[in-house]
């Protein structure tokens, strides 16, 4: 048997618009999607089909670029080109806009909750990364503004177990931040990509970080021992996946259950890579396990693994559709 990626469902999520991003809730029972139509849609499975449970359309004035669920699953954050981030609170089967976070000068490109749910990170075309603190009363306070990138910041993601934050930028770099004396500072800059870095994903242990880029490559970075002389953290590139993607790689997702790595590409394809478990951790070998060339009819913007069901993958595209796939590996 060879590895397979089978289409389970395809549905129009944001008709006549782009679907920019999909995110699973922590229980893996709901999907949130966002798009150029300024709406967030919440999807759930009923019998054998996926249906829209609710539409959140009154929070933003422009495109919603990304959405993120809080670790408890009761809140949703949305990042928009209108320069704001909305926080939505789940109320029965609906959501209400709790607060609007303002401060970025222009488009907010991404939002991410820390694993504890106490911190929120946002990033923007204004080249900054903001860290917000959340208290018990649902009050949000900006505790840090970091200007370590020289261009538009595309993506932010938190380390799964440690208080570290990573960001990716149009300046071709990845920055890793750590809190020092109540302020967040860039402690490592990962250089190697030759064009925009679009997205990032930590492996389930947090010891490695994968980045994807407009240079059509994926890079795997591993935490390295710093050379004693400084307290800075060090990450080194241990693997580059090149020659697999025909165009820009827009998103990458590391499955917490299987260790498989999925990519979303501007050539309309979805690919899954798997690691050779016998390879040296300092020189890991990843091979392309499966490739669906025309997964969508236009650019694939996002891939997201279910947190609960091994091998269940969601993707979305400029064609406005969401696809759900079942990945099976012969291992």
């Amino acid at each position: 048997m060879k590895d397979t990626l089978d289409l389970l469902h395809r549905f129009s999520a944001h008709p006549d618009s782009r679907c920019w991003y999909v995110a699973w809730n922590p229980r893996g029972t709901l999907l949130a999607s966002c798009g150029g139509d300024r709406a967030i849609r919440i999807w759930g499975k009923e019998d054998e089909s996926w249906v829209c449970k609710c539409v959140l359309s009154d929070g933003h004035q422009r495109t919603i670029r990304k959405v993120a669920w809080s670790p408890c699953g009761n809140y949703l954050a949305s990042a928009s080109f209108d320069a704001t981030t909305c926080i939505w609170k789940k109320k029965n089967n609906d959501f209400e806009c709790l607060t609007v976070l303002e401060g970025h000068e222009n488009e907010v490109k991404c939002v991410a909750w820390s694993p504890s749910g106490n911190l929120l990170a946002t990033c923007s075309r204004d080249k900054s990364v903001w860290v917000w603190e959340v208290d018990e009363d649902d009050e949000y306070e900006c505790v840090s503004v970091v200007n370590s990138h020289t261009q538009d910041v595309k993506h932010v993601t938190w380390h799964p177990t440690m208080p570290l934050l990573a960001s990716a930028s149009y300046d071709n770099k990845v920055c890793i931040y750590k809190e020092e004396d109540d302020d967040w500072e860039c402690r490592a800059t990962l250089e190697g990509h030759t064009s925009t870095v679009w997205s990032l994903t930590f492996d389930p242990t947090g010891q490695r970080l994968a980045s994807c880029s407009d240079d059509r490559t994926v890079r795997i970075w591993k935490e390295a021992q710093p050379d004693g002389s400084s307290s800075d953290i060090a990450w080194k590139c241990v693997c580059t996946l090149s020659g697999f993607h025909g165009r820009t790689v827009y998103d990458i997702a590391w499955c917490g259950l299987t260790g498989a790595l999925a990519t979303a590409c501007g050539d309309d394809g979805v690919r899954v890579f798997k690691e050779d478990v016998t390879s040296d951790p300092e020189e890991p070998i990843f091979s392309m396990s499966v490739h669906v060339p025309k997964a969508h009819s236009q650019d694939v913007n996002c891939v997201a693994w279910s947190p609960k069901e091994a091998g269940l993958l969601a993707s979305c595209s400029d064609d406005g559709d969401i696809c759900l796939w079942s990945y099976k590996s012969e291992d």
Side-chain angles (χ1 to χ4, degrees):
M1 155 189 164
K2 68 181 200 343
D3 300 352
T4 55
L5 189 64
D6 294 324
L7 181 65
L8 301 174
H9 303 278
R10 183 190 299 272
F11 49 95
S12 177
H14 297 264
D16 307 317
S17 179
R18 289 176 171 169
C19 184
W20 276 116
Y21 207 71
V22 284
W24 293 93
N25 71 335
R27 289 170 52 209
T29 53
L30 298 172
L31 269 174
S33 67
C34 60
D37 55 6
R38 307 190 293 278
I40 299 163
R41 288 185 167 83
I42 309 296
W43 304 89
K45 198 174 182 187
E46 287 185 6
D47 298 325
E48 283 310 300
S49 59
W50 284 76
V51 298
C52 183
K53 300 280 195 180
C54 62
V55 182
L56 319 182
S57 56
D58 55 356
H60 291 289
Q61 307 304 313
R62 290 182 63 195
T63 288
I64 303 172
R65 185 62 180 87
K66 286 190 182 154
V67 282
W69 294 87
S70 63
C72 66
N74 293 328
Y75 300 86
L76 195 62
S78 54
S80 169
F81 286 2
D82 66 10
T84 70
T85 302
C86 275
I87 308 296
W88 307 81
K89 188 172 187 176
K90 197 167 192 282
K91 252 198 150 174
N92 303 322
N93 291 326
D94 208 354
F95 287 79
E96 61 176 6
C97 184
L98 196 64
T99 186
V100 179
L101 308 183
E102 298 177 328
H104 282 292
E105 288 171 29
N106 41 42
E107 292 98 325
V108 184
K109 294 297 180 75
C110 186
V111 59
W113 301 85
S114 67
S116 67
N118 297 339
L119 297 169
L120 192 75
T122 57
C123 65
S124 164
R125 192 164 73 87
D126 66 13
K127 309 173 190 173
S128 69
V129 172
W130 291 41
V131 179
W132 308 77
E133 210 165 59
V134 192
D135 67 19
E136 291 82 33
D137 302 320
D138 289 338
E139 294 289 328
Y140 290 74
E141 181 194 0
C142 177
V143 292
S144 221
V145 175
V146 201
N147 289 288
S148 297
H149 288 291
T150 58
Q151 298 287 341
D152 182 0
V153 189
K154 300 289 189 187
H155 195 80
V156 279
T157 189
W158 293 89
H159 189 285
T161 59
M162 287 163 55
L164 294 177
L165 177 67
S167 64
S169 169
Y170 190 71
D171 66 10
N172 311 350
K173 297 182 179 72
V174 173
C175 288
I176 310 265
Y177 309 87
K178 194 177 179 183
E179 192 181 13
E180 288 289 321
D181 305 325
D182 293 334
D183 215 9
W184 287 80
E185 296 174 357
C186 175
R187 304 302 297 274
T189 304
L190 283 43
E191 299 185 60
H193 283 295
T194 57
S195 192
T196 303
V197 188
W198 277 97
S199 191
L200 301 165
T201 179
F202 281 100
D203 77 359
T205 66
Q207 292 171 334
R208 296 179 301 179
L209 177 71
S211 57
C212 64
S213 167
D214 181 55
D215 67 15
R216 306 181 184 186
T217 72
V218 167
R219 284 178 174 258
I220 311 287
W221 310 83
K222 185 172 183 290
E223 208 176 351
Q225 293 303 317
D227 55 9
S229 60
S230 74
S231 61
D232 275 7
I233 41 186
W235 290 73
K236 61 176 183 181
C237 181
V238 291
C239 179
T240 303
L241 303 178
S242 58
F244 296 104
H245 299 88
R247 294 184 68 180
T248 301
V249 190
Y250 286 117
D251 195 27
I252 186 159
W254 217 317
C255 180
L257 303 173
T258 66
L261 203 56
T263 60
C265 186
D267 63 9
D268 311 343
V270 169
R271 294 163 178 83
V272 179
F273 297 84
K274 64 180 181 184
E275 186 174 2
D276 179 347
V277 290
T278 63
S279 61
D280 178 354
E282 298 302 320
E283 295 177 7
I285 298 166
F286 286 80
S287 59
M288 189 162 70
S289 163
V290 66
H291 172 207
V292 179
K294 289 287 173 188
H296 288 271
S297 61
Q298 295 180 51
D299 293 7
V300 187
N301 293 319
C302 173
V303 280
W305 293 104
S306 162
K308 295 297 182 191
E309 190 179 328
L312 180 59
L313 180 72
S315 64
C316 71
S317 160
D318 279 1
D319 63 18
D321 289 356
I322 291 175
C323 287
L324 289 165
W325 310 85
S326 172
Y327 172 65
K328 288 190 170 63
S329 167
E330 60 186 349
D331 295 349

